[in-house]
Amino acid sequence: WVIQRPIFSLHTVRVEGDQKRELRHVNALTIRDQALPKIKGNFFTTNLDQVRLAFESVPWVRRASVQRVWPDKLLVSLEEHEVLGTWGEDGRLISTAGDVFTANLAEAEEDTELVGFIGPEGSEKEVIAQYRQFKDWFASINLEPEEVAYSSRYAWTVVLNNGLRVELGKVQDQGGLKRRVDQLIKVYPQLVTRLQDRIISVDMRYPNGLALQSGSGGFGLGNKPVAK
């Protein structure tokens, strides 16, 4: 009888950013529409796990924590996704932590220049980790990835922010991938100097050389040049 008294009805739901960081995308209107209608019960009877899940279903929310504040309040702390790019071809987004989520693409584009990612389901965190490696490696020639693709056959392709497509293929270990990138970085200044037309793509899957395509055609470089 005491538990059901009106004094214990929930009158306030206070929402704040995780560690009191300002929320950029989650707003009061979205919360009222998508989270609050799912809250049932009063101070004693409401299920905190269900409240947490209600808030985690709101776009941009990565994680929520909920606690009771005597006698008629809930305190909800939200952590938002920090967007890094797009995942796949269906409009989903991926965060810096490798979490795939659905939210407004236009809002995401206001945050940062989105990187395009493609990979098999379940490979998200691996692809994000490899992207960071690519970013470090290509920094030496003042380029960075704007697209990273990981095929179902475990082959890597990178498109750099100057439009150059780099086919790195499948390798057995991280060292093999790094060697192919290093090989390209070593000859890249020479390629830019020799070719007046923009280089469109470079294929690094050959053990003793590379094949490239420019605006004027394609050819190979190395001990066993391969025309492309």
Side-chain angles (χ1 to χ4, degrees):
W1 177 83
V2 171
I3 289 175
Q4 299 301 326
R5 294 305 85 202
I7 190 176
F8 300 121
S9 297
L10 291 174
H11 292 105
T12 303
V13 178
R14 179 178 176 82
V15 179
E16 60 184 30
D18 181 51
Q19 299 177 353
K20 298 187 178 180
R21 287 178 295 185
E22 182 180 356
L23 296 174
R24 290 176 50 84
H25 299 286
V26 179
N27 55 56
L29 180 61
T30 305
I31 290 172
R32 290 193 188 100
D33 289 345
Q34 301 192 31
L36 295 188
K38 300 176 183 178
I39 300 177
K40 308 298 181 183
N42 62 19
F43 179 83
F44 290 105
T45 62
T46 190
N47 185 309
L48 295 189
D49 280 338
Q50 291 180 359
V51 175
R52 175 181 58 80
L53 292 174
F55 277 91
E56 289 180 350
S57 69
V58 173
W60 287 102
V61 175
R62 180 177 187 240
R63 183 181 293 115
S65 62
V66 185
Q67 63 185 76
R68 295 180 173 91
V69 180
W70 179 265
D72 60 356
K73 182 187 296 185
L74 293 179
L75 177 61
V76 183
S77 179
L78 300 181
E79 178 188 349
E80 287 187 328
H81 289 288
E82 183 179 350
V83 68
L84 178 61
T86 60
W87 179 263
E89 299 177 352
D90 56 2
R92 290 180 297 168
L93 300 171
I94 190 166
S95 72
T96 55
D99 299 319
V100 175
F101 64 102
T102 301
N104 188 291
L105 182 61
E107 289 184 44
E109 290 174 334
E110 293 176 359
D111 280 4
T112 185
E113 194 76 26
L114 300 180
V115 181
F117 296 98
I118 296 176
E121 293 300 317
S123 68
E124 295 88 352
K125 287 180 170 54
E126 180 182 359
V127 173
I128 294 301
Q130 188 57 62
Y131 157 77
R132 292 194 174 101
Q133 290 284 344
F134 286 143
K135 190 172 182 179
D136 288 342
W137 297 343
F138 284 108
S140 64
I141 53 174
N142 298 315
L143 294 173
E144 60 181 67
E146 63 177 21
E147 295 180 21
V148 175
Y150 187 44
S151 76
S152 58
R153 296 186 176 183
Y154 312 110
W156 292 96
T157 301
V158 181
V159 178
L160 301 174
N161 59 339
N162 65 347
L164 176 63
R165 180 182 182 88
V166 183
E167 299 283 356
L168 291 166
K170 180 180 178 181
V171 293
Q172 298 299 321
D173 53 39
Q174 183 75 199
L177 196 60
K178 177 70 161 58
R179 284 190 292 273
R180 290 184 180 180
V181 173
D182 286 343
Q183 182 182 2
L184 172 59
I185 291 173
K186 183 178 180 180
V187 300
Y188 183 77
Q190 302 172 45
L191 298 178
V192 173
T193 301
R194 289 177 57 181
L195 296 173
Q196 299 299 318
D197 295 325
R198 182 174 68 87
I199 306 171
I200 297 172
S201 66
V202 178
D203 192 337
M204 303 302 301
R205 292 174 292 181
Y206 301 101
N208 299 309
L210 59 87
L212 62 85
Q213 181 179 3
S214 70
S216 57
F219 58 90
L221 297 173
N223 295 334
K224 296 181 179 179
V226 181
K228 185 175 177 61

